[in-house]
Structures are given as C-alpha cells and as structure tokens.
Amino acid sequence: MKRRIGILTSGGDCPGLNAAIRGVARASYEMFDAEFIGISDGYRGLIQGEYREMHKEDFSGILTLGGTILGTSRQPYRNMRVIEADNIDKVAAMKENYKKMKLDCLVTLGGNGTHKTANLLAEEGLNVIGLPKTIDNDIWATDVTFGFHTAVDIATEVIDRIHTTANSHGRVMVIEIMGNKAGWLTLYSGIAGGADVILLPEIPYSLDKVVSAVEKRAKKKKRSFAIIAVAEGSMTKEESNMKGKERAALRAKDKYQSISYRLADQIQNETGFESRVVVPGHFQRGGSPSPYDRVLATRFGVYAARLIKNEQYGTTVAMKGDTVTHNPLSEVAGKTKFVPKDCQMVEDAKDIGIAFGN
Ligand code: F6P
C-alpha cells in the first residue's frame, strides 16, 4: 500500500511540532509505503505551491527541536474565500497544488484557525487529517493539545523567578501570559506558580476586587508583594459587555500597550504599592518541548499515521482521558474550548485563596 502524504504546520508555532511531524513520518514508514511532501509555511505554501520531497533522514534528529522544520504562517480563515489584491483564488489554488503534488492526503498541524481551513478543504473533497497543537490548549473535544504543557512549564518558571524579586522589593508584579480567548495557560501556570490573583478572558474582573485582593494580602503579610497572572485577553466586566470592536476602540484610546500595563497603573494608583509588568510573550512558545509534549506529540503523530493507513480522512486527532482518539473535523472546526467559569480547577484555586477578580 502506497500513500503520498503532504504535511504542513500552520498558525502560531509551539514546542512539539517537530516531534509530531517525526511521529507521523516514522510510524508511516513503519506501517506502509510512505512518501512525504513537506509544504512550506503552512497554507501559504499550499496556496503558492512551495513544497519539497522529504525523505527518512529529514525526520531524524528533530524530536527535541523547537519551532517547525516546515515553517509556518498565519493565513486567516476568514479570508480564505476572499479574492485579495494578489487576485489569487486561494481555495482553488490549494486544490490545484494538492493535485499537482499527487497527494493521497494532507496532514495539517495547527490550532483553531488551521482546523477551520482543514475542514474547508475536507468539504472541498480533499483527504485531510488534523493534529491539534497550540500553547492555548483551546481546541474543542481534546483534553489537551501539544505545546501547552511546555508553555505551562515556561510561564511557571517566569512566575517563580518573579516571585523572588517581587518579594525583595515588596512590589506588585503583573505577569501577562499568552492566551487571547482562552485562559488555560494562565490558569495552570498561575496555580503552579502560586499567583495571588489570576485573571482570565472567560471570567471578567472588577478592578475593585483585584485591588482588595492585593490589599488583603498586604495586610496579612505586612508587605505589598503580590503576584497577578493575567491572560492577555482578560477584560473588565464593563468591557465584557461591549462588542469586540467597541472594546478594541476603547483600548486604542488608552496609552497602554496591553491590559497588564493598564492594570499595573491602576493598582499602583489605587493602593500606592509599587507595581511592575512582565510580559514573557513569545518566550512561551520557544525552545525544546518538555518530555510530556514529546510523548504527546509523538503519540498524536503515530495515531495520524494509523488514520492515514485506514483512510479515515476528514478527522483530527484528540486525547480523551489517557487514550488517543479522533474526532470529525466538522465537529471541531469553529469551536473553542474555553475555561468553564465554574470548573473544578477554578473552584480549587478559589479554595486556596486565589482571587479571580469576579
Ligand atoms: O495561538 C497561540 C498564541 O501564542 C496566542 O496565545 C497569542 O495570542 C498569539 O498566538 C500570538 O500570535 P502571534 O505569534 O501571531 O503574535
């Protein structure tokens, strides 16, 4: 049995992409007569016909390597069917190149946007298999995505290191963690790093609640030192009642670079405690995957090879409990796995005194 497989990584990168690519390739070579075509820079390469034949040795020595050997790009799903200035019909071009490469299937490694386009291509008749990657851990119907736990490790280390300097100076430190829509990374790293306040996009906050949490802690400890872990997409209760555009316009009027700078300023003004901001940013997506993510990405890759072998296309790999499984792309595309406001983990955090500002 022969299979010619196109493979691409799309959207924001994360640790574990290469481990997953290697998993797909190694298992495919074991299971059937596999040929690989590496598509450069995500869907952009598929649109523009930028790809290369790959061989066994290309997949060697990449297990621990961060980033993606294929390159990636953001190609917004909302524009996929829009003809832009370059006059290219992107969907037609992708189908054309799939044919030109003589593919039996296409494996797409990516997050929510990637899954939407993967589903679009499946609906257009291509054989597509998805793999869920993202540090945000917000893909529907999988317990976990690869890249997430490495980012949790990194963000936790940032919080740990900030703790010591916050303590020395008696400062309020506002640490901005990645996650625009979903707050999983902030929730996990905030608990792991012993944050005093955790703010998530899913749980709009009131400034007075955050201020009183800081003051309460200062009274107890006779010191103003406090750690606030803020997801970059966090918002106040008032902002949560606004439409996205209205909120963006309001923020644009601010002199602040991001939510954390505004919050730190407000806390300093309200409490008089010296406040500082730390934004680890893309640091959270860099470097080698953790052992957990190496194993997860490898297992996801192996499972994708099984799906290819069995021609179970139009699917995406997922973890349920401790079992790797798959879901139809159509059921996953367009949905986001948010932190449920009242989930046990949030309740647990509240029960050890962590404030969520609500
Ligand atoms: O989706 C992963 C993510 O890291 C988000 O947490 C973050 O908001 C976004 O990507 C940053 O995107 P970019 O790399 O395009 O700046």
Side-chain angles (χ1 to χ4, degrees):
M1 184 189 76
K2 197 173 181 141
R3 294 270 188 278
R4 203 168 152 80
I5 305 156
I7 187 161
L8 63 81
T9 53
S10 171
D13 71 342
C14 73
L17 281 166
N18 292 323
I21 292 169
R22 170 181 175 272
V24 178
R26 283 181 69 134
S28 297
Y29 287 131
E30 287 289 327
M31 290 179 199
F32 46 85
D33 184 6
E35 285 178 0
F36 278 91
I37 308 289
I39 299 161
S40 307
D41 302 335
Y43 291 118
R44 186 162 75 205
L46 186 58
I47 294 165
Q48 297 177 354
E50 284 166 20
Y51 49 84
R52 63 185 189 278
E53 297 262 352
M54 293 180 83
H55 305 282
K56 267 190 183 163
E57 58 275 17
D58 293 314
F59 302 103
S60 179
I62 61 170
L63 173 64
T64 61
L65 201 65
T68 160
I69 57 166
L70 297 171
T72 187
S73 65
R74 290 199 186 273
Q75 282 284 325
Y77 168 77
R78 64 177 178 279
N79 292 339
M80 276 300 178
R81 291 197 186 273
V82 179
I83 310 286
E84 297 179 88
D86 56 12
N87 224 17
I88 295 174
D89 180 335
K90 294 185 267 295
V91 176
M94 287 192 283
K95 287 165 73 177
E96 191 59 31
N97 283 320
Y98 179 95
K99 247 197 227 157
K100 217 152 106 192
M101 288 184 270
K102 298 191 171 59
L103 297 182
D104 293 304
C105 69
L106 174 69
V107 176
T108 62
L109 289 75
N112 280 324
T114 305
H115 276 74
K116 284 195 262 184
T117 299
N119 185 48
L120 177 158
L121 293 174
E123 283 172 355
E124 288 287 327
L126 306 192
N127 296 330
V128 188
I129 290 170
L131 270 96
K133 71 89 225 198
T134 166
I135 66 161
D136 294 340
N137 194 33
D138 61 350
I139 298 182
W140 189 256
T142 181
D143 292 350
V144 68
T145 57
F146 63 85
F148 172 63
H149 277 289
T150 306
V152 171
D153 293 350
I154 298 168
T156 302
E157 191 185 346
V158 171
I159 299 175
D160 286 350
R161 286 181 181 273
I162 293 304
H163 248 105
T164 60
T165 168
N167 194 10
S168 310
H169 289 264
R171 282 173 173 159
V172 175
M173 301 297 284
V174 178
I175 305 166
E176 185 171 299
I177 308 294
M178 273 189 167
N180 237 320
K181 292 194 179 123
W184 294 108
L185 184 53
T186 311
L187 181 60
Y188 271 74
S189 58
I191 294 175
D196 305 295
V197 179
I198 294 178
L199 302 181
L200 309 178
E202 295 91 339
I203 307 180
Y205 69 90
S206 303
L207 178 63
D208 54 341
K209 293 270 168 54
V210 176
V211 165
S212 61
V214 170
E215 281 173 338
K216 194 169 137 201
R217 188 186 143 83
K219 248 185 238 148
K220 248 203 254 165
K221 300 271 171 192
K222 300 197 172 33
R223 200 152 170 76
S224 50
F225 140 59
I227 301 288
I228 307 189
V230 187
E232 61 181 334
S234 301
M235 60 188 90
T236 62
K237 284 191 176 153
E238 299 76 56
E239 287 174 324
S240 73
N241 293 323
M242 296 175 184
K243 293 238 159 64
K245 276 192 183 155
E246 201 187 336
R247 191 163 54 239
L250 180 89
R251 295 264 179 106
K253 273 200 242 151
D254 279 350
K255 60 180 173 18
Y256 303 107
Q257 242 170 291
S258 71
I259 180 84
S260 307
Y261 289 91
R262 185 180 75 186
L263 187 65
D265 236 16
Q266 289 169 326
I267 292 173
Q268 187 160 307
N269 291 338
E270 296 278 327
T271 63
F273 300 146
E274 200 176 21
S275 304
R276 291 283 190 273
V277 176
V278 178
V279 185
H282 291 81
F283 201 75
Q284 295 161 95
R285 292 214 317 240
S288 185
S290 64
Y292 177 94
D293 271 331
R294 293 178 201 178
V295 174
L296 183 68
T298 301
R299 292 187 68 197
F300 278 7
V302 172
Y303 195 91
R306 290 188 194 128
L307 291 174
I308 299 169
K309 184 179 168 206
N310 300 328
E311 300 185 329
Q312 287 171 282
Y313 301 129
T315 51
T316 186
V317 179
M319 179 66 95
K320 280 277 161 217
D322 57 6
T323 305
V324 184
T325 179
H326 64 277
N327 293 305
L329 272 172
S330 57
E331 278 180 21
V332 170
K335 294 186 191 142
T336 303
K337 186 184 72 180
F338 295 110
V339 175
K341 275 186 179 50
D342 48 5
C343 66
Q344 194 181 40
M345 201 168 169
V346 169
E347 293 304 321
D348 294 345
K350 284 183 178 166
D351 282 347
I352 55 161
I354 297 176
F356 284 79
N358 62 335

mmCIF file of all heavy atoms in Angstrom, residues 11-14 74 111-112 133-138 177-182 185 232-233 281-282 284-285, ligand 1:
data_model
loop_
_atom_site.group_PDB
_atom_site.id
_atom_site.type_symbol
_atom_site.label_atom_id
_atom_site.label_comp_id
_atom_site.label_asym_id
_atom_site.label_seq_id
_atom_site.Cartn_x
_atom_site.Cartn_y
_atom_site.Cartn_z
ATOM 1 N N GLY A 11 -0.295 28.502 11.491
ATOM 2 C CA GLY A 11 -0.629 29.314 12.671
ATOM 3 C C GLY A 11 0.590 29.508 13.557
ATOM 4 O O GLY A 11 1.725 29.198 13.160
ATOM 5 N N GLY A 12 0.357 29.996 14.769
ATOM 6 C CA GLY A 12 1.471 30.234 15.693
ATOM 7 C C GLY A 12 2.186 28.927 16.011
ATOM 8 O O GLY A 12 1.541 27.910 16.204
ATOM 9 N N ASP A 13 3.505 28.962 16.047
ATOM 10 C CA ASP A 13 4.231 27.706 16.305
ATOM 11 C C ASP A 13 4.142 27.342 17.782
ATOM 12 O O ASP A 13 3.596 28.102 18.589
ATOM 13 C CB ASP A 13 5.704 27.826 15.861
ATOM 14 C CG ASP A 13 6.505 28.747 16.767
ATOM 15 O OD1 ASP A 13 5.889 29.547 17.499
ATOM 16 O OD2 ASP A 13 7.741 28.672 16.751
ATOM 17 N N CYS A 14 4.646 26.183 18.130
ATOM 18 C CA CYS A 14 4.740 25.794 19.541
ATOM 19 C C CYS A 14 5.722 24.642 19.643
ATOM 20 O O CYS A 14 5.993 23.955 18.646
ATOM 21 C CB CYS A 14 3.378 25.381 20.089
ATOM 22 S SG CYS A 14 2.808 23.789 19.513
ATOM 23 N N ARG A 74 0.495 32.692 9.321
ATOM 24 C CA ARG A 74 -0.926 32.860 9.637
ATOM 25 C C ARG A 74 -1.652 33.253 8.361
ATOM 26 O O ARG A 74 -1.345 34.268 7.751
ATOM 27 C CB ARG A 74 -1.106 33.942 10.701
ATOM 28 C CG ARG A 74 -0.600 33.531 12.074
ATOM 29 C CD ARG A 74 -1.217 34.415 13.147
ATOM 30 N NE ARG A 74 -0.650 34.140 14.474
ATOM 31 C CZ ARG A 74 -1.107 33.199 15.289
ATOM 32 N NH1 ARG A 74 -2.112 32.427 14.923
ATOM 33 N NH2 ARG A 74 -0.564 33.025 16.481
ATOM 34 N N GLY A 111 -3.783 25.026 15.122
ATOM 35 C CA GLY A 111 -4.768 25.373 16.133
ATOM 36 C C GLY A 111 -6.155 25.561 15.537
ATOM 37 O O GLY A 111 -6.499 24.933 14.518
ATOM 38 N N ASN A 112 -6.920 26.463 16.133
ATOM 39 C CA ASN A 112 -8.318 26.625 15.721
ATOM 40 C C ASN A 112 -8.478 27.097 14.280
ATOM 41 O O ASN A 112 -9.309 26.568 13.543
ATOM 42 C CB ASN A 112 -9.035 27.572 16.685
ATOM 43 C CG ASN A 112 -9.441 26.838 17.956
ATOM 44 O OD1 ASN A 112 -9.806 25.659 17.902
ATOM 45 N ND2 ASN A 112 -9.364 27.505 19.090
ATOM 46 N N LYS A 133 -2.360 21.281 17.802
ATOM 47 C CA LYS A 133 -1.253 21.939 18.515
ATOM 48 C C LYS A 133 -1.683 23.334 18.938
ATOM 49 O O LYS A 133 -2.429 23.997 18.202
ATOM 50 C CB LYS A 133 0.000 22.034 17.646
ATOM 51 C CG LYS A 133 -0.058 23.031 16.481
ATOM 52 C CD LYS A 133 0.385 24.429 16.771
ATOM 53 C CE LYS A 133 -0.599 25.399 16.178
ATOM 54 N NZ LYS A 133 -0.335 26.710 15.959
ATOM 55 N N THR A 134 -1.297 23.756 20.072
ATOM 56 C CA THR A 134 -1.352 25.160 20.475
ATOM 57 C C THR A 134 -1.011 25.285 21.951
ATOM 58 O O THR A 134 -1.400 24.431 22.762
ATOM 59 C CB THR A 134 -2.724 25.832 20.238
ATOM 60 O OG1 THR A 134 -2.755 27.076 20.974
ATOM 61 C CG2 THR A 134 -3.905 25.009 20.690
ATOM 62 N N ILE A 135 -0.292 26.346 22.264
ATOM 63 C CA ILE A 135 0.003 26.599 23.683
ATOM 64 C C ILE A 135 -1.266 27.031 24.423
ATOM 65 O O ILE A 135 -1.291 27.062 25.627
ATOM 66 C CB ILE A 135 1.108 27.662 23.876
ATOM 67 C CG1 ILE A 135 0.643 29.043 23.383
ATOM 68 C CG2 ILE A 135 2.393 27.243 23.218
ATOM 69 C CD1 ILE A 135 1.467 30.183 23.956
ATOM 70 N N ASP A 136 -2.315 27.374 23.668
ATOM 71 C CA ASP A 136 -3.551 27.865 24.304
ATOM 72 C C ASP A 136 -4.429 26.743 24.844
ATOM 73 O O ASP A 136 -5.333 26.991 25.635
ATOM 74 C CB ASP A 136 -4.370 28.691 23.306
ATOM 75 C CG ASP A 136 -3.663 29.973 22.897
ATOM 76 O OD1 ASP A 136 -2.771 30.404 23.641
ATOM 77 O OD2 ASP A 136 -3.995 30.526 21.833
ATOM 78 N N ASN A 137 -4.220 25.525 24.378
ATOM 79 C CA ASN A 137 -4.999 24.346 24.811
ATOM 80 C C ASN A 137 -6.505 24.542 24.592
ATOM 81 O O ASN A 137 -7.322 24.070 25.383
ATOM 82 C CB ASN A 137 -4.728 24.045 26.299
ATOM 83 C CG ASN A 137 -5.227 22.676 26.712
ATOM 84 O OD1 ASN A 137 -5.202 21.737 25.914
ATOM 85 N ND2 ASN A 137 -5.703 22.545 27.940
ATOM 86 N N ASP A 138 -6.880 25.244 23.539
ATOM 87 C CA ASP A 138 -8.297 25.626 23.404
ATOM 88 C C ASP A 138 -8.998 24.944 22.224
ATOM 89 O O ASP A 138 -9.984 25.449 21.707
ATOM 90 C CB ASP A 138 -8.414 27.155 23.278
ATOM 91 C CG ASP A 138 -7.688 27.711 22.061
ATOM 92 O OD1 ASP A 138 -6.928 26.955 21.420
ATOM 93 O OD2 ASP A 138 -7.884 28.893 21.753
ATOM 94 N N ILE A 177 0.345 36.568 30.603
ATOM 95 C CA ILE A 177 0.532 35.247 29.994
ATOM 96 C C ILE A 177 -0.238 35.199 28.676
ATOM 97 O O ILE A 177 -1.314 35.784 28.562
ATOM 98 C CB ILE A 177 -0.003 34.145 30.955
ATOM 99 C CG1 ILE A 177 0.612 34.297 32.370
ATOM 100 C CG2 ILE A 177 0.228 32.751 30.402
ATOM 101 C CD1 ILE A 177 2.079 34.053 32.482
ATOM 102 N N MET A 178 0.310 34.485 27.678
ATOM 103 C CA MET A 178 -0.384 34.402 26.383
ATOM 104 C C MET A 178 -1.746 33.718 26.526
ATOM 105 O O MET A 178 -1.940 32.879 27.402
ATOM 106 C CB MET A 178 0.466 33.649 25.360
ATOM 107 C CG MET A 178 1.433 34.560 24.626
ATOM 108 S SD MET A 178 2.224 33.681 23.273
ATOM 109 C CE MET A 178 2.943 35.066 22.395
ATOM 110 N N GLY A 179 -2.628 34.038 25.610
ATOM 111 C CA GLY A 179 -3.987 33.477 25.622
ATOM 112 C C GLY A 179 -4.984 34.607 25.431
ATOM 113 O O GLY A 179 -5.288 35.330 26.383
ATOM 114 N N ASN A 180 -5.401 34.763 24.200
ATOM 115 C CA ASN A 180 -6.294 35.872 23.875
ATOM 116 C C ASN A 180 -7.740 35.576 24.198
ATOM 117 O O ASN A 180 -8.467 36.426 24.681
ATOM 118 C CB ASN A 180 -6.164 36.169 22.381
ATOM 119 C CG ASN A 180 -5.776 37.601 22.188
ATOM 120 O OD1 ASN A 180 -6.281 38.470 22.909
ATOM 121 N ND2 ASN A 180 -4.892 37.867 21.255
ATOM 122 N N LYS A 181 -8.144 34.348 23.865
ATOM 123 C CA LYS A 181 -9.552 33.983 24.082
ATOM 124 C C LYS A 181 -9.712 33.023 25.250
ATOM 125 O O LYS A 181 -10.696 33.067 25.957
ATOM 126 C CB LYS A 181 -10.108 33.327 22.812
ATOM 127 C CG LYS A 181 -10.219 34.302 21.659
ATOM 128 C CD LYS A 181 -11.062 33.725 20.550
ATOM 129 C CE LYS A 181 -11.192 34.709 19.420
ATOM 130 N NZ LYS A 181 -10.722 34.152 18.149
ATOM 131 N N ALA A 182 -8.743 32.119 25.380
ATOM 132 C CA ALA A 182 -8.847 31.083 26.408
ATOM 133 C C ALA A 182 -7.726 31.257 27.439
ATOM 134 O O ALA A 182 -6.592 31.573 27.095
ATOM 135 C CB ALA A 182 -8.766 29.705 25.769
ATOM 136 N N LEU A 185 -3.634 28.545 29.892
ATOM 137 C CA LEU A 185 -2.204 28.695 30.209
ATOM 138 C C LEU A 185 -2.021 29.536 31.471
ATOM 139 O O LEU A 185 -1.187 29.218 32.327
ATOM 140 C CB LEU A 185 -1.497 29.330 28.993
ATOM 141 C CG LEU A 185 0.008 29.495 29.058
ATOM 142 C CD1 LEU A 185 0.707 28.199 29.391
ATOM 143 C CD2 LEU A 185 0.528 30.044 27.716
ATOM 144 N N GLU A 232 -3.560 37.537 28.424
ATOM 145 C CA GLU A 232 -3.512 38.755 27.597
ATOM 146 C C GLU A 232 -4.902 39.201 27.124
ATOM 147 O O GLU A 232 -5.123 40.369 26.855
ATOM 148 C CB GLU A 232 -2.571 38.574 26.403
ATOM 149 C CG GLU A 232 -3.007 37.463 25.473
ATOM 150 C CD GLU A 232 -2.071 37.239 24.294
ATOM 151 O OE1 GLU A 232 -1.375 38.172 23.870
ATOM 152 O OE2 GLU A 232 -2.055 36.101 23.786
ATOM 153 N N GLY A 233 -5.834 38.253 27.049
ATOM 154 C CA GLY A 233 -7.184 38.605 26.577
ATOM 155 C C GLY A 233 -8.172 38.919 27.697
ATOM 156 O O GLY A 233 -9.376 38.985 27.447
ATOM 157 N N GLY A 281 5.751 36.965 26.664
ATOM 158 C CA GLY A 281 5.414 36.914 25.236
ATOM 159 C C GLY A 281 5.820 35.621 24.548
ATOM 160 O O GLY A 281 5.560 34.521 25.047
ATOM 161 N N HIS A 282 6.493 35.751 23.401
ATOM 162 C CA HIS A 282 6.802 34.575 22.572
ATOM 163 C C HIS A 282 7.829 33.631 23.199
ATOM 164 O O HIS A 282 8.044 32.528 22.693
ATOM 165 C CB HIS A 282 7.255 35.022 21.179
ATOM 166 C CG HIS A 282 6.113 35.636 20.414
ATOM 167 N ND1 HIS A 282 5.720 36.928 20.606
ATOM 168 C CD2 HIS A 282 5.265 35.102 19.505
ATOM 169 C CE1 HIS A 282 4.675 37.189 19.833
ATOM 170 N NE2 HIS A 282 4.377 36.101 19.156
ATOM 171 N N GLN A 284 7.245 32.076 25.599
ATOM 172 C CA GLN A 284 6.400 30.934 25.997
ATOM 173 C C GLN A 284 6.219 29.930 24.872
ATOM 174 O O GLN A 284 5.720 28.834 25.081
ATOM 175 C CB GLN A 284 5.017 31.451 26.456
ATOM 176 C CG GLN A 284 5.095 32.301 27.703
ATOM 177 C CD GLN A 284 3.851 33.166 27.891
ATOM 178 O OE1 GLN A 284 2.925 32.789 28.587
ATOM 179 N NE2 GLN A 284 3.828 34.340 27.275
ATOM 180 N N ARG A 285 6.563 30.311 23.665
ATOM 181 C CA ARG A 285 6.394 29.393 22.527
ATOM 182 C C ARG A 285 7.722 28.839 22.020
ATOM 183 O O ARG A 285 7.737 28.043 21.078
ATOM 184 C CB ARG A 285 5.688 30.127 21.368
ATOM 185 C CG ARG A 285 4.266 30.497 21.639
ATOM 186 C CD ARG A 285 3.388 30.427 20.416
ATOM 187 N NE ARG A 285 3.957 30.966 19.215
ATOM 188 C CZ ARG A 285 3.434 31.984 18.518
ATOM 189 N NH1 ARG A 285 2.332 32.576 18.942
ATOM 190 N NH2 ARG A 285 3.979 32.384 17.402
HETATM 191 O O1 F6P B 1 -2.345 30.942 19.496
HETATM 192 C C1 F6P B 1 -1.160 30.944 20.169
HETATM 193 C C2 F6P B 1 -0.745 32.341 20.530
HETATM 194 O O2 F6P B 1 0.516 32.242 21.125
HETATM 195 C C3 F6P B 1 -1.713 33.092 21.442
HETATM 196 O O3 F6P B 1 -1.648 32.711 22.783
HETATM 197 C C4 F6P B 1 -1.287 34.512 21.205
HETATM 198 O O4 F6P B 1 -2.323 35.404 21.499
HETATM 199 C C5 F6P B 1 -0.957 34.514 19.743
HETATM 200 O O5 F6P B 1 -0.630 33.182 19.408
HETATM 201 C C6 F6P B 1 0.177 35.415 19.340
HETATM 202 O O6 F6P B 1 0.272 35.390 17.966
HETATM 203 P P1 F6P B 1 1.493 35.881 17.101
HETATM 204 O O7 F6P B 1 2.589 34.871 17.212
HETATM 205 O O8 F6P B 1 0.957 35.958 15.713
HETATM 206 O O9 F6P B 1 1.922 37.209 17.653
#
